[in-house]
Amino acid sequence: MSIFGPSLKTIYKELAIEMGGEHIKKGWLSSGYLSYHYHNWELILDTYSSGGEDSTSYTRVRALFQNPSGFKFQVYRQSVFSRIGKFFGMQDIEIGDPQFDQDYIIKGNDEGRVGALLYDPVLKKMLNEIRRPTLKVNQRISAFRKRYSPDVDMLEFYRDGLIKDKDRLKLYIRLVCTVLDHLLKMGIT
């Protein structure tokens, strides 16, 4: 333990033990990542940096899933910039929950499915507990094409900062598991 508390590597190792996951080492100086299996999906908890001179670090949870319909969505908190974007016509789906609609920008390629996904009060509560969350299904990622079929996409949650609070990290993992459950119930995966 350092003067800054336990390292991310230590946190990931402890979480792996507590949750039945596995801490995967990536190198001597790396924190590695946590691999957690939920039903047929593997979730990866790790961190990354945006790079560049004004680099920002992020904590994220990702899971690959079958998405033959190509369903896409993105949910994130409103900001000054997103309000400007809305003024100029940026997409923002409203789901009929006035507070949630006011607090979040919601995008997607199927408004009905996005609304059905975000109808769940438990999912909305989890998002509201997280400062500046982003939850989305990424475009089909070409880097995976050689290993996965063309209908495999990535569900990704991230937020800024290197989060070391185990309860917060468990919340992020539960959030992704909840979305995967909903996608399965909706017949998307």
Side-chain angles (χ1 to χ4, degrees):
M1 180 139 106
S2 74
I3 60 171
F4 303 109
S7 68
L8 276 172
K9 184 186 289 188
T10 300
I11 297 296
Y12 291 168
K13 285 179 182 179
E14 291 174 1
L15 272 176
I17 292 167
E18 290 176 24
M19 298 181 68
E22 182 180 4
H23 174 251
I24 308 296
K25 299 172 187 164
K26 283 179 66 178
W28 187 68
L29 295 175
S30 169
S31 300
Y33 61 90
L34 173 73
S35 171
Y36 177 72
H37 290 272
Y38 180 71
H39 298 305
N40 293 326
W41 301 292
E42 178 187 20
L43 282 70
I44 302 295
L45 166 67
D46 66 357
T47 61
Y48 74 98
S49 296
S50 60
E53 194 171 299
D54 296 325
S55 179
T56 301
S57 295
Y58 297 90
T59 298
R60 67 181 170 184
V61 179
R62 301 172 289 157
L64 297 176
F65 71 102
Q66 295 289 132
N67 188 12
S69 69
F71 175 61
K72 302 284 186 255
F73 74 91
Q74 183 174 13
V75 180
Y76 57 93
R77 283 211 191 267
Q78 283 212 47
S79 68
V80 172
F81 299 112
S82 59
R83 286 185 183 94
I84 293 169
K86 281 175 55 173
F87 178 78
F88 287 106
M90 178 182 77
Q91 182 186 29
D92 185 22
I93 299 170
E94 294 192 356
I95 61 167
D97 179 331
Q99 189 62 54
F100 197 83
D101 289 336
Q102 177 183 324
D103 293 345
Y104 291 89
I105 295 293
I106 305 167
K107 299 178 182 184
N109 63 356
D110 184 328
E111 288 189 24
R113 283 180 163 174
V114 171
L117 174 68
L118 295 174
Y119 178 77
D120 179 13
V122 173
L123 180 59
K124 288 189 282 192
K125 183 179 186 291
M126 283 191 268
L127 284 167
N128 283 325
E129 289 178 21
I130 301 168
R131 187 177 60 104
R132 294 189 306 275
T134 297
L135 180 65
K136 66 182 181 176
V137 170
N138 282 339
Q139 296 292 334
R140 293 190 168 120
I141 299 167
S142 61
F144 294 115
R145 288 308 109 213
K146 292 179 183 174
R147 293 191 309 178
Y148 300 100
S149 67
D151 66 348
V152 172
D153 283 332
M154 183 184 299
L155 172 63
E156 181 178 29
F157 159 83
Y158 62 89
R159 62 144 296 178
D160 59 321
L162 298 176
I163 308 304
K164 292 183 177 182
D165 181 297
K166 287 192 282 186
D167 290 332
R168 305 296 297 162
L169 295 172
K170 288 177 187 177
L171 172 64
Y172 305 161
I173 291 169
R174 281 195 322 271
L175 173 71
V176 171
C177 291
T178 300
V179 173
L180 288 167
D181 284 341
H182 284 299
L183 294 176
L184 184 61
K185 287 178 192 169
M186 294 166 60
I188 292 171
T189 185

